Amino acid sequence: MKYVYCSASNSSVGCTEEILAAADLRVYLPLRGFADSLNLSVAAALVMHELFRLCPEAIGAMDEAERASLREDWFSRLAAQRIRTPDEARAAKERKRALTKVRHKLNRNTPRTPEVEARMEALRAEEARLKEEEEDATARALVRAKAAVAPFLSRPPATLRDMRRPDDHREAFVCHKIRARNKDNWAGMPAVKGSGGVVDEAWGELAGRKNTGEP
């Protein structure tokens, strides 16, 4: 199996000289109108779309072992975002907020007196503690997520050639407050009617495992 490596970078600094020297081809996307650059994700998507247009046999070209590994990793990451209890989610937000404050203090341009150095050392220790706590919490959530998605790995959904979702598979991931505020305006729309389908079924199973404490 042959692989194609595509590298992209932002418009201000670009790719490194090493990457440019190693590249077999440099691609420029012509622009129209007043735009002087494209969002990086948009540019990458356009390149990938053109590659698959030129080489349609590359679509989905991977062996079953690689496909299974990718599916397990992706399903687990998605589930890990939803598997945490409300208390765990609140604790994660508090850690993130505290970590942001600590890093903001560490990045201050303050004269390095002995007293400041002592405070900096304490802040670095606090940063390490918060990072370790979040890594541990994330690892525990990932273990539970992998157990929760195991049934979906043994019976994965069929590959879709047409990525436009049918109405019974549409679901808008908006919080309940926004959904309630727009209840009248969105009434009857497929994306918010809570019609079920694979999304509600999957998250329903995950929620059941989370609330009952099942692995």
Side-chain angles (χ1 to χ4, degrees):
M1 183 182 296
K2 295 182 178 180
Y3 291 89
V4 176
Y5 175 77
C6 296
S7 178
S9 185
N10 61 46
S11 56
S12 59
V13 297
C15 296
T16 64
E17 290 298 325
E18 290 81 2
I19 290 178
L20 293 175
D24 296 302
L25 182 68
R26 299 186 188 182
V27 177
Y28 170 74
L29 300 177
L31 301 175
R32 305 288 185 269
F34 297 99
D36 62 355
S37 67
L38 291 173
N39 179 280
L40 183 59
S41 63
V42 172
L46 289 172
V47 170
M48 296 303 296
H49 183 275
E50 181 65 9
L51 285 174
F52 285 132
R53 188 188 69 81
L54 295 172
C55 185
E57 61 270 21
I59 299 174
M62 64 178 69
D63 58 47
E64 196 54 42
E66 184 179 5
R67 193 185 304 275
S69 176
L70 182 63
R71 187 181 290 127
E72 180 181 9
D73 180 63
W74 185 240
F75 283 13
S76 299
R77 288 175 184 271
L78 288 174
Q81 298 175 16
R82 300 292 187 100
I83 204 73
R84 290 183 175 183
T85 65
D87 287 342
E88 290 172 334
R90 281 192 293 271
K93 287 184 178 180
E94 288 298 325
R95 279 193 299 272
K96 183 177 180 181
R97 189 177 299 114
L99 196 54
T100 299
K101 289 182 179 179
V102 167
R103 287 172 173 168
H104 177 71
K105 292 178 180 178
L106 285 171
N107 290 331
R108 286 177 180 171
N109 188 15
T110 307
R112 290 299 195 255
T113 63
E115 293 79 7
V116 170
E117 284 294 345
R119 289 200 299 270
M120 292 293 107
E121 188 62 30
L123 287 170
R124 283 189 285 269
E126 178 68 5
E127 180 188 30
R129 182 188 68 80
L130 290 168
K131 287 176 61 178
E132 184 178 1
E133 284 186 5
E134 182 55 29
E135 288 171 359
D136 289 344
T138 300
R140 290 194 300 270
L142 190 58
V143 169
R144 288 153 51 200
K146 287 184 176 181
V149 302
F152 301 100
L153 298 176
S154 60
R155 49 179 178 86
T159 302
L160 298 177
R161 287 298 180 185
D162 186 347
M163 297 303 293
R164 292 171 294 181
R165 297 182 183 182
D167 285 350
D168 59 346
H169 283 189
R170 292 185 185 179
E171 181 68 26
F173 291 99
V174 294
C175 72
H176 66 281
K177 292 182 179 179
I178 295 178
R179 190 184 292 257
R181 189 161 61 242
N182 292 277
K183 181 176 65 174
D184 294 334
N185 294 332
W186 293 352
M189 296 177 67
V192 292
K193 68 180 182 180
S195 59
V198 293
V199 173
D200 284 347
E201 176 187 350
W203 293 129
E205 289 194 27
L206 290 179
R209 292 172 184 269
K210 177 173 65 176
N211 294 333
T212 59
E214 295 181 24

